[in-house]
Amino acid sequence: MDSQAETILRTEKLKAFYVLDMHGTQKIVKAVNEVDLEIKENEIYGIAGESGCGKSTLLKALFNAIEPPLRLIGGKIYYRVNWEDVDATSLSPEEKRKLRLEFISYIPQGSMSVLNPVMKIKESYLDFIASHVPEQSRRETLELAQQHIVELGLPKNILNAYPHQLSGGMRQRVTIALSALLNPRIMIGDEPTTALDVVVQRGVIQMLKDIQKKLKN
């Protein structure tokens, strides 16, 4: 890792707890408790731990996707945007939406939680781009989607497929491709190779490395 690389995400004493009301009694689960971390430009940062230790919760917090029963109890999350530290915990919903995919993107564990089962892949691309680049025409969007798919080594005709017509590995590749569409500075992956066989896992990891190399350039 380059010691001179810019820090693009850091946390200070981050606390994110689940606050549950169970039969009139409040239960608190301290999933993320006083976490300090720093991620630099072009760094691959891995988080390891046993099941249920809070890894996914930490990633949701870093992505600033905190929804009940998860609550931000304390601490700060800073994104480095346009050479300035932005306190992600103080952003409005619209400011959060704008930064997602453009600055930071999230790859969930299950591809079917991203891809609409009754929509073709190209429609998912159209929805993603329309929410961030509304002035772009449908034709321009489809051209961008085709170019993006080909650059990442996926078959162009995949855009006309429905999610259920693809293998688990191919669906995950499509999900990763969507996450990289707007060239974010940070990509967060929540066990992106889960439930895939070893050969497919290797292909997915190589795809992530290729995206990192592409974004670096």
Side-chain angles (χ1 to χ4, degrees):
M1 184 184 68
D2 184 359
S3 60
Q4 301 300 315
E6 182 180 27
T7 297
I8 55 176
L9 186 154
R10 64 184 174 88
T11 67
E12 295 179 355
K13 305 296 183 184
L14 183 63
K15 292 183 179 183
F17 297 171
Y18 289 99
V19 181
L20 308 168
D21 289 318
M22 303 179 67
H23 309 293
T25 302
Q26 190 177 78
K27 181 179 180 181
I28 296 177
V29 179
K30 298 180 180 181
V32 176
N33 195 10
E34 296 198 4
V35 171
D36 293 319
L37 62 78
E38 185 176 291
I39 299 175
K40 294 184 178 295
E41 187 88 62
N42 204 43
E43 179 180 19
I44 297 176
Y45 195 105
I47 299 172
E50 62 185 24
S51 179
C53 72
K55 300 186 300 297
S56 294
T57 303
L58 174 59
L59 297 184
K60 288 179 181 178
L62 295 179
F63 188 56
N64 209 7
I66 297 177
E67 299 178 351
L70 182 62
R71 297 183 188 177
L72 180 67
I73 303 300
K76 297 290 185 181
I77 306 168
Y78 292 103
Y79 297 159
R80 188 70 173 173
V81 182
N82 297 327
W83 299 282
E84 293 184 359
D85 283 339
V86 174
D87 180 3
T89 61
S90 65
L91 297 176
S92 68
E94 176 59 23
E95 289 171 327
K96 290 180 185 179
R97 185 201 64 78
K98 187 174 181 180
L99 282 180
R100 287 174 183 167
L101 289 186
E102 296 178 24
F103 176 80
I104 186 169
S105 65
Y106 179 76
I107 306 166
Q109 285 190 27
S111 57
M112 291 304 286
S113 63
V114 174
L115 303 175
N116 189 322
V118 298
M119 287 172 52
K120 291 184 177 181
I121 301 300
K122 66 180 179 182
E123 298 300 330
S124 293
Y125 266 85
L126 288 168
D127 277 359
F128 269 65
I129 296 176
S131 65
H132 290 270
V133 194
E135 67 275 9
Q136 198 163 57
S137 69
R138 181 182 176 89
R139 181 181 61 80
E140 291 172 330
T141 298
L142 287 175
E143 288 177 354
L144 175 62
Q146 289 178 351
Q147 178 184 348
H148 184 68
I149 284 289
V150 171
E151 285 179 352
L152 295 180
L154 300 177
K156 188 186 299 185
N157 61 2
I158 204 173
L159 291 170
N160 288 315
Y162 289 95
H164 71 270
Q165 295 175 314
L166 306 177
S167 67
M170 188 58 73
R171 284 198 301 268
Q172 191 66 350
R173 286 185 175 95
V174 169
T175 300
I176 293 170
L178 278 169
S179 298
L181 184 59
L182 298 180
N183 299 327
R185 293 188 75 188
I186 302 171
M187 290 182 67
I188 296 175
D190 187 359
E191 298 187 33
T193 60
T194 190
L196 303 177
D197 65 49
V198 175
V199 174
V200 177
Q201 285 180 10
R202 184 171 61 182
V204 169
I205 291 172
Q206 185 59 53
M207 182 181 184
L208 288 168
K209 289 182 177 179
D210 291 343
I211 290 172
Q212 182 194 30
K213 184 177 180 181
K214 174 177 176 286
L215 295 180
K216 182 180 179 181
N217 295 331

